[in-house]
Amino acid sequence: QKEVEQNSGPLSVPEGAIASLNCTYSDRGSQSFFWYRQYSGKSPELIMFIYSNGDKEDGRFTAQLNKASQYVSLLIRDSQPSDSATYLCAVNAGYSTLTFGKGTMLLVSP
Amino acid sequence: GAGVSQSPRYKVTKRGQDVALRCDPISGHVSLYWYRQALGQGPEFLTYFNYEAQQDKSGLPNDRFSAERPEGSISTLTIQRTEQRDSAMYRCASSHPDLSYNEQFFGPGTRLTVL
């Protein structure tokens, strides 16, 4: 059973702070890792993906992957109220389907 | 089209009726996925296609659920004899083979309510 675990939150951070979102996965064969942002009532939107150990930066977002620890994280720098959403971690064990976590709700207060 | 489209956006039906949900993927995307998302949960895989071939249907809950993609483009997810537990958001996603890591892009979803 492939599992992806996330803290459901909410994670509350003040505007301008760094938000750190974490995800663990059970399948050691997992090859690629995705972060989706989902605003309330909307569809998931892909914001980052990572496939090798280390960090990957894209603007205010940094994805971090540690395959030995089976751990993926997403850092959001200079958090804005518009970043308030649910962040879904998804894992792909091959060129096929994604297994999603339940998501972490992020609340950024002005 | 510019993005994945799904229709209808909302569907209310009575228990025991059949429903058909439609997905039109991004132009040129050969892989198409169906997911179901309950409130407060992440999307849960149902089935997927490469072109017209159904590659994996292991996530379909039971034999009342079926899907097809006869011409390798538009797909239909059919639920027969609907039950109240089928009420959920049904999401479709597509991806392109040139995307090395199977990045999937989601449509707006169909909200199914079974009364």
Side-chain angles (χ1 to χ4, degrees):
Chain A
Q1 180 82 3
K2 299 175 186 176
E3 294 183 349
V4 178
E5 299 288 340
Q6 295 182 257
N7 188 319
S8 61
L11 172 66
S12 296
V13 300
E15 184 174 359
I18 296 175
S20 177
L21 303 159
N22 305 315
C23 171
T24 59
Y25 60 94
S26 64
D27 184 356
R28 284 196 171 274
S30 300
Q31 298 178 1
S32 48
F33 308 84
F34 302 83
W35 285 99
Y36 284 81
R37 176 176 62 197
Q38 187 171 26
Y39 291 114
S40 181
K42 302 297 185 182
S43 59
E45 173 192 10
L46 180 65
I47 55 171
M48 289 282 291
F49 70 92
I50 188 168
Y51 50 87
S52 56
N53 279 328
D55 296 358
K56 179 181 178 182
E57 186 175 320
D58 184 0
R60 295 187 296 113
F61 299 96
T62 299
Q64 299 175 319
L65 173 61
N66 183 327
K67 289 187 178 180
S69 300
Q70 295 175 244
Y71 178 91
V72 193
S73 65
L74 179 70
L75 300 178
I76 307 175
R77 290 181 298 281
D78 188 23
S79 295
Q80 301 297 308
S82 59
D83 295 326
S84 298
T86 294
Y87 289 80
L88 296 163
C89 174
V91 173
N92 185 351
Y95 195 81
S96 60
T97 63
L98 296 178
T99 301
F100 283 84
K102 293 182 178 181
T104 298
M105 181 183 294
L106 173 66
L107 299 176
V108 182
S109 54
Chain B
V4 179
S5 60
Q6 292 186 246
S7 61
R9 294 290 306 277
Y10 302 91
K11 178 68 177 179
V12 180
T13 191
K14 293 182 178 180
R15 184 168 52 92
Q17 297 295 306
D18 298 350
V19 296
L21 312 180
R22 173 186 162 124
C23 172
D24 192 353
I26 294 171
S27 179
H29 279 200
V30 303
S31 299
L32 183 150
Y33 306 81
W34 283 101
Y35 293 86
R36 179 168 68 175
Q37 187 173 20
L39 199 61
Q41 303 291 316
E44 175 190 23
F45 167 74
L46 296 176
T47 185
Y48 93 98
F49 295 82
N50 281 338
Y51 298 97
E52 71 281 359
Q54 190 171 21
Q55 299 293 323
D56 185 347
K57 57 181 182 179
S58 62
L60 295 177
N62 51 61
D63 60 8
R64 296 186 297 105
F65 287 72
S66 62
E68 63 175 8
R69 193 186 185 198
E71 297 180 358
S73 180
I74 292 170
S75 176
T76 302
L77 177 69
T78 300
I79 309 173
Q80 296 179 313
R81 306 181 302 281
T82 53
E83 302 178 4
Q84 287 185 329
R85 60 177 171 160
D86 299 334
S87 296
M89 178 70 82
Y90 288 82
R91 298 198 184 275
C92 175
S94 69
S95 68
H96 191 280
D98 287 349
L99 300 172
S100 303
Y101 294 93
N102 191 30
E103 300 96 290
Q104 297 180 21
F105 299 90
F106 282 83
T110 294
R111 169 73 66 188
L112 174 66
T113 302
V114 182
L115 303 176

